[in-house]
Amino acid sequence: MIATATFGLEAVVRREIEALGYRIIKTEDGKVTYMGDERAIVRSNLWLRTADRVLLKMAEFSAVEFEELFQQTKGLPWEQLIPLDGRFTVTGTSVKSKLHSVPACQKIVKKAIVEKLKEFYGVEVFEETGAEYTVKASLLKDRVTLTVDTSGTGLHKRGYRISDVAAPIKETLAAAMIQLSFWKKDRILVDPCCGSGTIPIEAAMIGRNIAPGLNRTFACEGWDFIPANLWKEERKAAFDNMNYEQPLDIYGYDINSKAVKAAQENAAEAGVDDCIQFCRADIRNLNSEGDNGIIITNPPYGKRIGEEDEISEIYEALKKFFKENRDWSLFMITTDKEVEKKVMGRKADRRRKLYNGRLETCYYQFHGERK
């Protein structure tokens, strides 16, 4: 199996997979390969908070000619995965490979699978009215990796975002920011630029142990080789493991009243509206809600939304707050390479390069003084 990840989050995804109890084979740029069975496919889709997709790895081999690609693809046991009425498409990428034409590679892989299924089922035409199977042929330096997407819609689509604002942060990235902050359930968490509420909502779901994929469906739910009872068992286990008794101290503020309303609606949809306090507030009036709190935020960058003056005011407000509350910690993602000097006047304790969509950002981590 392969869990794909945003560049920079591979180690976070790896820790999540290990926490589920599965053996890691290797970690590479943008993906973590691990061993798992049918139940692992179900659990990975339900529980991975920071991965983009869960893929079933069919094979990896070398190919420098189309005949090699065809024969090695055809030799795989596609009949064990795709039923007679299976709907399947082939996507692809090619980087630094002799077989550089992606459309041609897709066509060859599709033809090879069709030929294998025709031989097995003894038919010439496939109706393709059943479950969906998206096969991907990824070529890198003449190495072919064939995978099948088990997730369907990306895992960041939790299903709770019913109201949106401009430039929202992806749910998977928000969850990763929280996990990288090592936030604890008994610690105050504040997002003073909360937008549609993604960071506070993801924190609340982590705090209450709510499986991120619990309220959505996946492409592989219709696959014959995964017993339907596995989905029932794992969903029931996820419900049983929720902790709605866990007290949480989470706050989300935004100067935009529409954003606050959207955040409240999304939190209600996620089932965590009772443990997050959302309200309209100007960051310049930000006050401490207690000791040893943590701010995790995705402020405007200027390249996406927000003007320079507005961003400067946000920085000044944060600077003032942390001068007065030295026991608080700040975790902030931004494209601004001078944020250390502008906000805290010192180097960050940790920095991590991450991608927010197509934007290269840095996740700055400033640890507060211990009381």
Side-chain angles (χ1 to χ4, degrees), residues 24-92:
I24 305 293
I25 296 174
K26 59 181 174 179
T27 304
E28 304 165 272
D29 286 347
K31 64 180 182 179
V32 180
T33 304
Y34 62 109
M35 291 297 295
D37 55 10
E38 293 89 344
R39 190 179 294 275
I41 293 175
V42 177
R43 295 189 73 206
S44 297
N45 277 295
L46 285 175
W47 280 102
L48 292 182
R49 298 183 190 278
T50 59
D52 292 328
R53 292 180 181 278
V54 177
L55 310 177
L56 180 63
K57 183 177 178 181
M58 294 295 290
E60 184 177 346
F61 53 83
S62 296
V64 294
E65 296 180 355
F66 285 124
E67 184 62 21
E68 285 181 292
L69 178 61
F70 178 84
Q71 293 297 343
Q72 295 196 73
T73 300
K74 187 183 176 186
L76 297 172
W78 296 102
E79 71 282 357
Q80 293 180 19
L81 177 67
I82 305 174
L84 180 60
D85 65 347
R87 248 182 328 125
F88 71 96
T89 56
V90 178
T91 63

Side-chain angles (χ1 to χ4, degrees), residues 58-197:
M58 294 295 290
E60 184 177 346
F61 53 83
S62 296
V64 294
E65 296 180 355
F66 285 124
E67 184 62 21
E68 285 181 292
L69 178 61
F70 178 84
Q71 293 297 343
Q72 295 196 73
T73 300
K74 187 183 176 186
L76 297 172
W78 296 102
E79 71 282 357
Q80 293 180 19
L81 177 67
I82 305 174
L84 180 60
D85 65 347
R87 248 182 328 125
F88 71 96
T89 56
V90 178
T91 63
T93 58
S94 182
V95 179
K96 298 179 181 178
S97 297
K98 291 183 175 65
L99 301 179
H100 56 81
S101 172
V102 173
C105 291
Q106 290 174 223
K107 187 176 180 181
I108 292 294
V109 170
K110 174 89 174 183
K111 182 180 178 183
I113 298 172
V114 168
E115 290 301 313
K116 180 62 176 282
L117 296 178
K118 281 166 69 174
E119 288 179 7
F120 182 80
Y121 291 115
V123 299
E124 289 296 317
V125 179
F126 295 92
E127 294 183 5
E128 298 195 49
T129 56
E132 183 180 354
Y133 301 81
T134 301
V135 179
K136 184 172 184 179
S138 303
L139 283 75
L140 176 62
K141 297 179 181 178
D142 300 323
R143 291 290 295 175
V144 182
T145 304
L146 294 176
T147 58
V148 186
D149 181 13
T150 73
S151 302
T153 304
L155 294 181
H156 71 284
K157 296 284 189 180
R158 316 287 206 218
Y160 65 70
R161 187 178 274 172
I162 57 174
S163 298
D164 233 332
V165 296
I169 191 170
K170 283 176 69 174
E171 294 87 333
T172 44
L173 180 55
M177 289 170 64
I178 295 156
Q179 294 193 42
L180 287 168
S181 77
F182 297 103
W183 167 72
K184 302 295 183 185
K185 300 171 188 177
D186 59 351
R187 198 172 178 189
I188 300 166
L189 188 151
V190 176
D191 181 358
C193 305
C194 72
S196 56

Side-chain angles (χ1 to χ4, degrees), residues 199-214:
I199 291 173
I201 291 169
E202 289 295 321
M205 291 178 71
I206 290 170
R208 286 190 164 170
N209 200 35
I210 299 172
L214 195 53

